[in-house]
Amino acid sequence: SLPLRFDPSCPIHENDKRAEVARLLMMDILWGDPVNELQIHKLNSQGYLAREMTDDPRNPETPRHMVYGVKFLDDFFAEHNFNRLLRGHQAVSQGIGVSMGTRVLTVFSDSKDHFDHEVTQCGIILVEDEISVITGVPQPSTVGTTQAAQQAAQQAAQQAAQQAAQQAAQQAAQQSAQQSAQQAAQPAARETQTSKAE
């Protein structure tokens, strides 16, 4: 039989181990972050650090819930045959955060400032044959945030379409040049074969 569905909004009773494990798993998935420099020395032998109930949340070395390092990432990638992790749910002032040798990309698509800066960029990642990163600062709108979001999405789509068109044009030009070179080489090869036959 299937296990009962876990509802994270329900309070957990003291002796409900199943609900506690489910909540911890959900928190790890939602709040797992790449390790920062202050926490790296505290990683366990498996390459991660989980917050304990006794940890002081004001201490900068205390993770929000769970953090992972390079070893944990290497093991996860090897087990699942992955080479990149695209993630969100963490504020990045430049719109896109890169960590662990460019293998972890954090996308922050909200323009709300979570920092002490005047301007925060939002980011978009376009994944086709390769990964393209688009960042920008949304312009303020007097009409409303919905229209501003639509305009930002349209601009991002236009940029992505332009990039795709440029890539397609480059590929077409390369293929055309290769075909021309092959066609030019064919008559020369026939002449060489004809002169040898004579």
Side-chain angles (χ1 to χ4, degrees):
S1 70
L2 292 173
L4 296 174
R5 189 167 62 101
F6 171 66
D7 182 356
S9 64
C10 292
I12 296 178
H13 300 289
E14 271 185 48
N15 297 327
D16 191 350
K17 295 293 181 194
R18 181 185 154 273
E20 181 62 26
V21 168
R23 176 160 291 172
L24 289 173
L25 179 62
M26 180 187 70
M27 293 297 288
D28 284 348
I29 292 169
L30 288 176
W31 295 107
D33 294 331
V35 69
N36 67 36
E37 292 177 12
L38 295 174
Q39 301 161 333
I40 199 162
H41 71 280
K42 295 181 79 175
L43 295 176
N44 64 20
S45 61
Q46 294 172 310
Y48 71 92
L49 169 65
R51 181 173 175 173
E52 301 291 332
M53 296 299 288
T54 56
D55 288 340
D56 180 0
R58 295 166 295 183
N59 182 343
E61 294 184 10
T62 300
R64 291 170 76 182
H65 192 72
M66 176 201 155
V67 293
Y68 50 89
V70 173
K71 182 189 181 326
F72 187 84
L73 189 72
D74 287 344
D75 293 346
F76 179 78
F77 280 179
E79 184 175 342
H80 299 287
N81 198 25
F82 292 157
N83 61 17
R84 288 279 187 289
L85 174 61
L86 305 180
R87 57 181 295 274
H89 230 266
Q90 184 179 19
V92 180
S93 64
Q94 298 300 314
I96 303 290
V98 179
S99 58
M100 300 195 188
T102 71
R103 295 182 303 155
V104 177
L105 300 174
T106 300
V107 184
F108 186 54
S109 56
D110 185 0
S111 62
K112 179 181 175 185
D113 190 9
H114 286 63
F115 305 93
D116 294 331
H117 308 111
E118 291 182 16
V119 175
T120 298
Q121 294 187 352
C122 62
I124 300 169
I125 292 183
L126 176 66
V127 179
E128 291 182 321
D129 291 335
E130 49 188 44
I131 297 175
S132 302
V133 173
I134 303 167
T135 60
V137 179
Q139 300 301 313
S141 172
T142 56
V143 178
T145 55
T146 303
Q147 188 172 5
Q150 289 173 347
Q151 288 172 350
Q154 287 173 348
Q155 289 174 349
Q158 287 172 350
Q159 287 178 346
Q162 287 172 351
Q163 288 178 347
Q166 287 173 350
Q167 288 176 350
Q170 288 173 348
Q171 289 175 349
Q174 288 174 347
Q175 289 175 349
S176 177
Q178 288 173 348
Q179 288 174 349
S180 296
Q182 289 173 350
Q183 289 173 354
Q186 288 175 352
R190 285 188 203 125
E191 287 177 17
T192 305
Q193 289 175 352
T194 305
S195 63
K196 284 183 182 177
E198 292 175 357

